[in-house]
Amino acid sequence: MKKINPYKPNSPVPPGMFAGRLEEIKALENGLYQTKHGNPSNFLITGERGIGKSSLITYIKPTAQGDIVAPGYEPFKFVVVNTVISNKSTLISFIKLIERNLKREIGKIEKVRGFLDDTWSFVQRLRIMDSGIDKAQTHEELDLIIDDFSFSLAQTCDRITNPEKGEVSKDGIVIFVDEADNACVDLHIGYFFKVVSELLQQHGCANIIFIVAGLPEVLNKLAESHESSLRIFAQLKVRELNPEDRKYVIDRGLEVANEQNAEQTTISSEARNLLSTLSEGYPHFLQQFAHSAFETNTDGEISEEDVGRGAFKVGGALDAIGSRYYQSAYSEQIKSDEYRQVLEIMADSMNSWIKKSDIREKFTGSEHALSNALQALTSRKIILKNPSKVGEYRLQHRGFALWIKLFGQRKKEM
Ligand SMILES: Nc1ncnc2c1ncn2[C@@H]1O[C@H](COP(=O)(O)OP(=O)(O)OP(=O)(O)O)[C@@H](O)[C@H]1O
Ligand SMILES: [Mg+2]
């Protein structure tokens, strides 16, 4: 009989199956508490692809809204605005997105709707501007837009924290901004956050925070747009899950499966260990390996063999992870076998620095080909050049290294 698979490699984990991140959650809860009491602190969540940034946002959102009560705190009552940045987002489209989502969240009461329409009327003007042929805005125009935006946001926050009769009082506004690494120059992302947070302060508005998430590249984007924009954020770096949390993810998944499916599923402790080791704590590897093992299993107990076959078979977990996250870097962007060989050699050291001379020892191509490969891979930011040691390189992301390494193992096994 077909069973519902509890492991979800393609979407942020639901709060009921969320593992670990205690430090990060504590910091975010404290940030909400501080913001509620007029001491706002913005957060910047960074981490590699698939490490769990969006899941952390998904987890903290119901806490901010008061659907989940954080231990030791009264329920929070923030208005939550969700935004995701794409490589097409401009400052104007981003502001419109926030306005629209705010209206959706709090504009259900008619009186409030009227207030919002008045307060955000400047957005009408932006609609005309953005549809103009020449979209390049001068700095002066941008400043005016950001000024209008900050004022409207402050007014809105004031209204919901000091409501009129019949309206529910809120703690403030939390604006989530996911995939911020997509930001293009036209978004002026660092400048935006820096100026908005200063203006909010000037307007006496102290109950709004931005919780921004993205790949580590976002740090550069923010700094390039405004050099001191990083200072307005407390940084949370999301890392691999520890072995205990990995075990929790596996076991909790089976618990959920066994509630949903008539046919029960168990896992041997060897299989559990293998899932944990193979994933090296990368949550997207773990979810995908567990998903594929669950699919592969037929006798009700997931064995080491189910894990191995699910991971390495054609169309299995490694292929799925590759096509979702890494394939383009590995084969589409890099057509040459020699480049791929360099990556494979480097992946043996995961993402630690490795000397060119050490790569050369294992490389079968010419000296010239090796130099070309290192240069091309560096310019595509797939590998990094050590700024303080000549002739040393490393893979940018550990997750990518792990994927290449495991992929190499598959070839040998098959
Ligand atoms: N704390 C966690 N517990 C269990 N599973 C998790 C956790 N965090 C992430 N996952 C799982 O890992 C995978 C990737 O998570 P998520 O989408 O949150 O990562 P991300 O960092 O936002 O990725 P991207 O860089 O692609 O935006 C998903 O399958 C998710 O279910
Ligand atoms: Mg994400």
Side-chain angles (χ1 to χ4, degrees):
M1 203 167 55
K2 198 74 197 148
K3 293 183 192 174
I4 300 171
N5 195 319
Y7 301 106
K8 306 260 183 307
N10 295 321
S11 50
V13 67
M17 290 174 71
F18 185 93
R21 315 299 190 210
L22 289 184
E23 290 302 311
E24 292 84 351
I25 291 169
K26 262 200 248 162
L28 288 165
E29 287 170 349
N30 180 44
L32 292 173
Y33 181 78
Q34 298 297 326
T35 306
K36 173 177 174 168
H37 295 286
N39 181 22
S41 78
N42 301 304
F43 287 93
L44 181 60
I45 301 170
T46 59
E48 283 182 33
R49 249 225 193 289
I51 199 78
K53 303 175 291 294
S54 301
S55 296
L56 186 57
I57 288 184
T58 309
Y59 185 87
I60 206 69
K61 214 177 284 174
T63 304
Q65 286 169 317
D67 300 332
I68 290 180
V69 183
Y73 296 98
E74 298 279 299
F76 294 115
K77 288 180 295 172
F78 283 94
V79 167
V80 164
V81 175
N82 294 313
T83 66
V84 177
I85 289 185
S86 81
N87 56 8
K88 301 226 164 49
S89 305
T90 62
L91 184 81
I92 292 180
S93 70
F94 184 51
I95 284 178
K96 281 181 186 169
L97 196 65
I98 295 178
E99 179 231 19
R100 213 178 49 179
N101 286 340
L102 254 181
K103 283 188 169 169
R104 201 178 285 152
E105 283 300 312
I106 58 181
K108 285 168 201 138
I109 303 167
E110 200 167 317
K111 257 195 331 187
V112 179
R113 200 157 53 231
F115 162 83
L116 287 172
D117 284 340
D118 288 347
T119 310
W120 290 85
S121 59
F122 81 97
V123 175
Q124 293 301 331
R125 186 159 45 82
L126 296 186
R127 282 192 223 291
I128 301 160
M129 261 165 82
D130 204 23
S131 62
I133 300 164
D134 180 14
K135 283 193 189 149
Q137 262 98 35
T138 63
H139 247 273
E140 204 177 320
E141 277 171 328
L142 287 177
D143 283 342
L144 291 178
I145 296 170
I146 294 178
D147 188 63
D148 275 336
F149 170 79
S150 308
F151 184 69
S152 306
L153 196 59
Q155 294 282 94
T156 309
C157 189
D158 186 50
R159 168 75 181 240
I160 60 171
T161 49
N162 306 290
E164 293 187 356
K165 245 171 84 194
E167 296 167 15
V168 185
S169 165
K170 295 286 185 181
D171 292 337
I173 303 174
V174 180
I175 302 178
F176 288 102
V177 183
D178 202 359
E179 314 225 343
D181 53 278
N182 281 332
C184 65
V185 180
D186 284 345
L187 187 56
H188 304 279
I189 184 168
Y191 188 73
F192 174 83
F193 287 130
K194 179 79 167 103
V195 177
V196 169
S197 57
E198 278 171 5
L199 288 174
L200 288 175
Q201 215 172 7
Q202 282 176 25
H203 294 309
C205 174
N207 306 101
I208 296 180
I209 49 167
F210 290 93
I211 300 183
V212 180
L215 297 174
E217 286 94 290
V218 73
L219 295 170
N220 287 340
K221 297 225 169 151
L222 285 163
E224 276 162 19
S225 164
H226 191 298
E227 54 194 9
S228 62
S229 62
L230 286 175
R231 268 194 270 137
I232 67 160
F233 294 103
Q235 262 195 64
L236 297 177
K237 288 191 189 143
V238 184
R239 300 184 200 279
E240 293 94 318
L241 292 171
N242 66 36
E244 222 163 276
D245 296 332
R246 301 175 208 171
K247 182 173 174 298
Y248 174 82
V249 173
I250 299 165
D251 291 345
R252 180 75 192 116
L254 288 186
E255 253 174 57
V256 170
N258 290 336
E259 282 161 22
Q260 292 178 332
N261 298 308
E263 223 174 281
Q264 302 292 288
T265 310
T266 56
I267 184 164
S268 72
S269 62
E270 292 81 13
R272 189 189 290 108
N273 287 341
L274 183 58
L275 279 174
S276 170
T277 319
L278 277 179
S279 76
E280 292 214 10
Y282 277 85
H284 70 285
F285 279 80
L286 187 59
Q287 292 278 350
Q288 183 65 62
F289 285 142
H291 181 96
S292 300
F294 189 93
E295 285 300 298
T296 307
N297 170 255
T298 49
D299 65 1
E301 175 165 272
I302 298 175
S303 63
E304 276 180 296
E305 205 201 327
D306 294 328
V307 174
R309 276 208 302 137
F312 294 106
K313 71 183 176 190
V314 174
L318 278 179
D319 285 335
I321 293 167
S323 57
R324 193 172 326 122
Y325 293 109
Y326 305 124
Q327 208 93 54
S328 69
Y330 194 59
S331 59
E332 280 162 30
Q333 284 193 45
I334 307 152
K335 298 276 184 238
S336 141
D337 284 343
E338 282 165 337
Y339 291 8
R340 282 211 287 278
Q341 200 196 351
V342 170
L343 288 177
E344 276 170 24
I345 295 168
M346 293 182 73
D348 280 338
S349 324
M350 292 298 277
N351 68 336
S352 319
W353 294 112
I354 165 165
K355 291 199 199 88
K356 185 177 174 184
S357 53
D358 291 341
I359 303 175
R360 191 186 296 126
E361 268 177 31
K362 298 180 188 158
F363 186 64
T364 56
S366 68
E367 177 70 30
H368 181 67
L370 177 59
S371 300
N372 273 351
L374 289 173
Q375 201 183 7
L377 293 168
T378 308
S379 73
R380 283 168 210 171
K381 296 205 168 72
I382 293 168
I383 66 174
L384 304 174
K385 207 171 173 170
N386 194 341
S388 50
K389 265 203 183 141
V390 183
E392 271 196 6
Y393 298 84
R394 71 172 177 83
L395 284 164
Q396 160 118 298
H397 298 296
R398 249 178 79 86
F400 182 47
L402 177 60
W403 179 72
I404 298 175
K405 219 167 88 163
L406 291 172
F407 219 89
Q409 281 176 22
R410 165 162 106 173
K411 274 188 284 181
K412 278 167 227 142
E413 283 193 9
M414 289 180 61

